[in-house]
Amino acid sequence: MKVSEGNVIVTGASRGIGLATAEAILARGGRVVAVARDRAKLEALRVQHPDRVRVLVADLRELGQVEMLVQEAADAFGGIDGLVNNAGVLHYEEVGGISVEALRSMLDVNLAAPLFWMQAIQPHLKGKGGAIVNVSSTASIRAVQGLAAYSASKAALNALTRSFARALAPDQIRVNAVLPAVIETDMVKAPRTAPGEGPLAEDEAERRVEEHFATLREQHLLGRLGTAEDVAEAVLSLLDHPWQTGSLLLLDGGLTLST
């Protein structure tokens, strides 16, 4: 059995890449333990697949709850075969204006949470050919204005991925990461404002978002941004490949070739 056809935990499963990944697993006949803060959105997914979705409402910054949550996930379907650490936080802050609060939030969710989820799931995957996929970013390997702290958190996640791949290989647990470029999700559709700038009028917000997206599309050699479904397909390939571990899979539409 492939991992994506078994029981998989997906964090950040209420929207974007996490939701697309959960839906892709379900389409293959797998079962999903969907983890996020938004109960209503998680329940909407469960209602569509009542026998194959279990919901865990959790704030991933609460690191002390991770072992309990992993045990609940394992109990939900009688075992766990895989983990997708997808939940992430992004704050645009220029150098000179990076706040302690934003940095802590990104380090907690983008780095510390994956570490403790991987650590807690090890006993449940040991010896069964399980797999872990971390969702990183091309920002981890290229400089992006306004994303210094975010890039650092994702670069650290890359290092964590490779370290865990080495440590868990004797247990036959594979650990990989996917590094998407810009994906059309809610996270990147928020309009950017200058420091001290107030809320934008609706038409101005829409104009800025479209202008920003047009620039981003030009930077990707394939002429478009990625979709959540593009990333989900790559995540499932990493979950299922029986001889791939420690990989940082670039998924960027040619972005890193053009800049």
Side-chain angles (χ1 to χ4, degrees):
M1 182 187 71
K2 294 181 177 179
V3 171
S4 67
E5 297 171 349
N7 306 326
V8 183
I9 300 171
V10 181
T11 70
S14 61
R15 62 178 184 168
I17 293 169
L19 177 58
T21 299
E23 291 175 336
I25 292 168
L26 292 165
R28 292 198 179 182
R31 292 181 287 260
V32 172
V33 178
V35 184
R37 290 182 296 177
D38 192 325
R39 178 181 293 276
K41 290 183 178 179
L42 294 178
E43 288 293 345
L45 179 65
R46 187 191 63 78
V47 166
Q48 297 177 52
H49 307 274
D51 297 329
R52 294 191 291 126
V53 173
R54 296 293 182 269
V55 166
L56 287 181
V57 179
D59 184 338
L60 296 189
R61 294 170 298 182
E62 300 294 334
L63 302 176
Q65 298 181 6
V66 173
E67 287 193 12
M68 176 190 71
L69 291 169
V70 169
Q71 186 60 56
E72 286 185 29
D75 292 343
F77 293 118
I80 288 294
D81 302 294
L83 165 67
V84 179
N85 279 312
N86 162 75
V89 173
L90 181 151
H91 295 284
Y92 289 102
E93 292 187 330
E94 299 292 343
V95 170
I98 297 172
S99 66
V100 172
E101 294 76 16
L103 176 61
R104 284 178 174 165
S105 175
M106 288 186 282
L107 290 177
D108 280 350
V109 177
N110 300 348
L111 179 62
L115 187 160
F116 286 103
W117 278 84
M118 288 193 289
Q119 192 165 263
I121 206 171
Q122 178 185 5
H124 299 275
L125 299 184
K126 185 174 182 179
K128 61 190 300 184
I132 299 168
V133 178
N134 296 320
V135 178
S136 182
S137 168
T138 53
S140 66
I141 59 172
R142 59 186 292 271
V144 182
Q145 186 173 348
L147 291 183
Y150 174 79
S151 296
S153 72
K154 291 296 190 177
L157 180 60
N158 294 349
L160 194 69
T161 297
R162 291 177 60 80
S163 295
F164 267 75
R166 182 182 179 94
L168 302 188
D171 293 333
Q172 295 299 301
I173 302 170
R174 295 173 290 103
V175 187
N176 296 285
V178 61
L179 282 59
V182 184
I183 308 300
E184 290 203 49
T185 64
D186 293 342
M187 181 181 286
V188 298
K189 287 182 178 179
R192 298 193 195 185
T193 57
E197 187 175 14
L200 301 175
E202 184 176 347
D203 58 344
E204 174 62 13
E206 291 179 357
R207 186 194 68 78
R208 290 195 192 183
V209 168
E210 183 49 45
E211 185 179 82
H212 181 52
F213 269 49
T215 300
L216 291 173
R217 292 187 191 101
E218 291 176 359
Q219 295 173 356
H220 294 70
L221 295 183
L222 294 183
R224 69 171 178 89
L225 303 185
T227 66
E229 290 73 24
D230 290 329
V231 183
E233 183 175 343
V235 169
L236 265 62
S237 73
L238 291 174
L239 281 175
D240 290 342
H241 200 295
W243 207 55
Q244 188 168 11
T245 196
S247 296
L248 305 177
L249 178 62
L250 194 62
L251 187 70
D252 72 345
L255 174 67
T256 56
L257 297 175
S258 66
T259 56

